[in-house]
Amino acid sequence: MDPVFTPLRGEDRENKARANKAAGYRCSQQISCSFADDLGEDLERLIRLGMPFGSGMGRGQVCGCVVGAMLVLGLRFAPSSVADKAARKVLTRKQNAFLHAFEERHGSIICRELTGHARQSGPAEAGGSFFANSCIGLMVSASHLVEDLLQEEAEAAAAEQTQEAQA
């Protein structure tokens, strides 16, 4: 039985992230799984999707927190048809807003630059990490940024409904 995952939402995200990390969840999973309910997605599916992206795909490349956020934004805003240009623009706007804000806060989206650690010379042990840095702050920051983007969308939709009701 898998350990219980606690979404990085609301208060005390740092302790939630530490508990999830201790249970074995990777940074990418912590972000994508935190929004399972918002997305109407199965937690197990998001756990599986996010697994290979931790520690910058195990190579110090794009930060797993960023990849997890892109999974959330894609599942929420990507159109089901590549021809839906209006929806693609919304996704691009949300994606760019996240990337800009994350990079502005942290200076990069590259795992090894964020952690200051390069890949070690051997493969990581099972369940291990190539990096000594726990990335807790990055997880907390990314969860806030994604939550803000989803909240903006919800507020815009509510405002649009109010305008339609008044018309």
Side-chain angles (χ1 to χ4, degrees):
M1 176 180 225
D2 282 339
V4 174
F5 176 80
T6 305
L8 304 184
R9 305 293 294 270
E11 300 298 316
D12 207 14
R13 292 176 204 231
E14 185 173 326
N15 283 333
K16 291 174 183 176
R18 287 185 194 289
N20 289 336
K21 183 167 179 50
Y25 293 100
R26 296 177 174 192
C27 46
S28 52
Q29 293 168 310
Q30 291 218 41
I31 303 308
S32 60
C33 293
S34 289
F35 297 92
D37 287 344
D38 298 79
L39 301 169
E41 289 288 335
D42 180 62
L43 184 63
E44 182 180 329
R45 179 175 181 222
L46 292 175
I47 288 169
R48 293 174 65 207
L49 282 170
M51 180 68 75
F53 298 107
S55 299
M57 292 177 260
R59 304 255 186 236
Q61 297 299 318
V62 176
C63 170
C65 296
V66 172
V67 174
M70 293 300 110
L71 286 171
V72 172
L73 296 176
L75 287 167
R76 175 58 193 95
F77 296 106
S80 57
S81 167
V82 295
D84 187 345
K85 292 182 182 186
R88 288 175 67 167
K89 285 182 182 181
V90 171
L91 173 61
T92 299
R93 198 168 47 249
K94 296 291 185 179
Q95 173 185 335
N96 288 336
F98 176 88
L99 292 170
H100 175 77
F102 189 90
E103 200 163 22
E104 181 81 14
R105 285 185 186 181
H106 303 291
S108 179
I109 63 166
I110 303 300
C111 180
R112 70 176 165 270
E113 293 173 5
L114 294 163
T115 63
H117 291 84
R119 181 178 178 191
Q120 295 174 350
S121 58
E125 66 279 359
S129 173
F130 289 116
F131 304 96
N133 187 322
S134 69
C135 305
I136 299 299
L138 298 171
M139 291 180 229
V140 169
S141 176
S143 70
H144 276 293
L145 291 171
V146 172
E147 191 170 26
D148 289 348
L149 288 169
L150 295 178
Q151 182 63 35
E152 285 174 10
E153 186 248 346
E155 289 171 0
E160 186 176 311
Q161 287 178 344
T162 301
Q163 287 178 344
E164 288 175 3
Q166 291 175 348

